[in-house]
Amino acid sequence: MTPSGEIHVSVAGAIAALLIAGLIGATLWWMLHPPVSYVQRIAAQAESELERMVGSLIVVFSPEIDSSHMMALAVKLARGERSELLALYIIEVPYTLPPDAEMAIEERSALDALGAAETIAGKSNVTIHTETIKTRSTKQAVLDAAKREKANLIILGSFREGKYSGAPLGRTIEEIAAEAKCDVLIGVEGKHGTLLVDESAQTGPQQE
């Protein structure tokens, strides 16, 4: 400060002040943004991978594929990861009929299956889209839908071609699992399992 009270700032002093201010700012930033640990990086990577894996889900129904018991799991996944959920009912039209032939029994089954799927999803506040497709090939219809929807996971119920233990899964299920460009989850409901249970149906209001 000069005798007259004026403050004189030299160039060197200004540079030193800026350096000190910069160091203080950098220290504060470092304290507020500590380095991410190895475990945190692994956890973030796993979370990102899970989100990518279940970003879009398709649950498949058909007269041969009963996926009703898989809806509870699909809804849990969709709700947890805010995934897109599509319930697809495939009606395979035999070559003896026109491609758009009316098939009353199968169409009634489609309405029932997709209606039940909407009910399960609605109880958990999960948005679901439903679609019925008539096709010559169930396998190709599922693969085409998965490609169109950019599905990350196809969920299938299952049935065995025989009643004996170890009987092979349905041929269509095997073909879809072999040719799909995404993961395929095939669910076999166990007698004592709880993962596939529709919790919303159990916690709903009791009817007298």
Side-chain angles (χ1 to χ4, degrees):
M1 180 180 295
T2 62
S4 59
E6 296 178 350
I7 297 176
H8 176 71
V9 179
S10 66
V11 175
I15 293 174
L18 288 174
L19 287 175
I20 292 172
L23 287 173
I24 293 174
T27 302
L28 289 174
W29 187 92
W30 180 84
M31 293 176 66
L32 295 174
H33 301 81
V36 179
S37 69
Y38 174 75
V39 174
Q40 288 173 318
R41 288 200 301 271
I42 294 297
Q45 183 177 355
E47 183 178 356
S48 175
E49 182 66 16
L50 179 61
E51 183 177 359
R52 181 201 65 78
M53 184 182 74
V54 296
S56 177
L57 310 176
I58 295 181
V59 186
V60 178
F61 298 84
S62 82
E64 289 77 28
I65 302 173
D66 179 10
S67 298
S68 56
H69 63 285
M70 297 299 291
M71 276 305 303
L73 178 60
V75 167
K76 289 175 184 176
L77 287 172
R79 181 179 57 194
E81 301 303 322
R82 299 181 181 178
S83 305
E84 297 288 335
L85 182 58
L86 170 65
L88 201 63
Y89 196 99
I90 307 295
I91 298 176
E92 195 163 288
V93 182
Y95 286 97
T96 53
L97 298 174
D100 58 348
E102 290 189 7
M103 301 175 67
I105 296 176
E106 289 79 5
E107 290 170 13
R108 181 70 254 175
S109 297
L111 290 175
D112 291 342
L114 297 182
E118 288 179 327
T119 300
I120 294 172
K123 288 179 180 177
S124 297
N125 295 320
V126 171
T127 301
I128 185 173
H129 304 283
T130 62
E131 183 177 354
T132 300
I133 295 178
K134 288 183 178 178
T135 180
R136 299 296 190 188
S137 167
T138 298
K139 177 201 75 173
Q140 196 56 50
V142 173
L143 296 178
D144 289 345
K147 181 179 180 181
R148 183 194 69 200
E149 299 293 327
K150 298 180 181 177
N152 300 108
L153 183 66
I154 299 172
I155 299 176
L156 300 166
S158 65
F159 78 101
R160 294 189 181 277
E161 294 185 335
K163 299 299 182 184
Y164 56 91
S165 178
L169 297 173
R171 181 173 57 86
T172 301
I173 293 175
E174 298 275 11
E175 291 175 345
I176 293 172
E179 299 186 29
K181 302 299 183 185
C182 62
D183 292 318
V184 178
L185 178 63
I186 302 171
V188 180
E189 188 176 17
K191 291 182 179 179
H192 306 290
T194 58
L195 186 61
L196 305 182
V197 174
D198 179 11
E199 296 173 336
S200 61
Q202 294 187 340
T203 57
Q206 299 293 326
Q207 294 183 352
E208 299 180 357

